[in-house]
């Protein structure tokens, strides 16, 4: 599949999206930039990345990267919008994959559950915090809490190759 040409170069158009979580996986991503930003600047068009810039646009993404669990109706709507705008979706970290540890409130006892009901109703929260995979199809997962940096680099390299931005390993 062809990537988008920017000037003479093709770049992978990516978005990074954070839902309910501690943002520890985003921190790993930022740490990786210390070593990789020079090459990524040539290879990646950061279309939507609030940790890097204030003006963002999620339309026409090649790859959306999602961290965090889904806690509200608004989250579900936004997640589905992301899926519609991205050719591929990669989820990173255990919160996105299985909900935990962001889904801690799912394990509250009956008394605590009752106490939080008014807050859940007021802010349109779901009865339970859910993993991303409950609502959309995803194309790949990077496990870990925080996410594995090695597996993230391998997955990203695969998408750079798939979209024709760089050669696949061994080519
Ligand atoms: S998986 Fe862990 S590090 Fe990543 S956002 Fe969730 S709690 Fe934070």
């Amino acid at each position: 599949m062809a990537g988008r040409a920017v000037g003479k170069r093709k770049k992978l158009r990516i978005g990074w999206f954070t839902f309910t979580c501690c943002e520890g996986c985003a921190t790993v991503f930022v740490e990786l930039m210390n070593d990789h930003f020079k090459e990524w600047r040539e290879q990646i068009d950061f279309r939507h990345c609030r940790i890097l810039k204030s003006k963002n646009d999620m339309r026409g993404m090649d790859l959306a990267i999602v961290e965090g669990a889904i806690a509200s109706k608004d989250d579900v709507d936004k997640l589905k919008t992301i899926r519609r705008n991205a050719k591929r979706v990669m989820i990173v970290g255990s919160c996105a994959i299985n909900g935990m540890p962001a889904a801690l409130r799912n394990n509250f006892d009956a008394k605590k559950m009752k106490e939080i009901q008014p807050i859940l109703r007021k802010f349109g929260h779901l009865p339970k915090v859910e993993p991303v995979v409950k609502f959309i199809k995803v194309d790949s997962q990077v496990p870990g809490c925080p996410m594995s940096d090695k597996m993230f680099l391998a997955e990203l390299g695969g998408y750079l190759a798939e979209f024709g931005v760089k050669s696949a390993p061994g080519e």
Side-chain angles (χ1 to χ4, degrees):
M1 193 176 299
R4 176 187 178 239
V6 176
K8 283 187 180 171
R9 287 179 183 275
K10 289 176 180 173
K11 288 189 176 187
L12 186 72
R13 296 163 61 112
I14 75 160
W16 181 283
F17 300 91
T18 299
F19 289 92
T20 299
C21 65
C22 78
E23 301 187 37
C25 295
T27 305
V28 171
F29 183 45
V30 171
E31 290 285 339
L32 286 170
M33 285 184 197
N34 288 331
D35 294 327
H36 297 278
F37 191 72
K38 231 174 168 180
E39 70 196 73
W40 287 351
R41 199 173 46 190
E42 305 300 320
Q43 298 172 339
I44 295 175
D45 181 4
F46 292 92
R47 303 289 299 161
H48 191 292
C49 195
R50 289 186 192 278
I51 49 181
L52 289 183
K53 56 187 208 163
S54 55
K55 282 192 179 166
N56 293 281
D57 182 357
M58 71 164 73
R59 288 171 300 174
M61 293 178 290
D62 296 319
L63 173 66
I65 304 167
V66 177
E67 73 169 341
I70 304 306
S72 69
K73 295 180 187 80
D74 286 351
D75 283 356
V76 176
D77 291 345
K78 184 174 177 192
L79 186 63
K80 289 181 177 174
T81 303
I82 291 166
R83 177 70 269 190
R84 279 196 300 276
N85 279 280
K87 295 185 185 81
R88 299 285 181 272
V89 174
M90 167 164 71
I91 56 174
V92 296
S94 61
C95 293
I97 294 170
N98 63 40
M100 291 297 281
L104 207 59
R105 75 166 156 89
N106 295 356
N107 297 331
F108 282 2
D109 59 24
K111 183 171 174 281
K112 278 205 191 87
M113 272 299 183
K114 199 174 167 197
E115 280 173 16
I116 66 170
Q117 288 314 303
I119 300 167
L120 299 191
R121 277 197 299 276
K122 183 172 178 184
F123 294 103
H125 285 299
L126 301 173
K128 286 189 165 187
V129 179
E130 305 281 4
V132 168
V133 290
K134 172 152 184 180
F135 303 104
I136 61 164
K137 174 185 166 293
V138 303
D139 299 288
S140 59
Q141 308 182 355
V142 177
C145 179
M147 69 171 182
S148 158
D149 53 356
K150 286 188 182 60
M151 290 181 74
F152 178 83
L153 289 174
E155 285 294 335
L156 184 62
Y159 287 114
L160 288 166
E162 177 186 349
F163 284 86
V165 178
K166 73 171 194 184
S167 306
E171 278 184 13

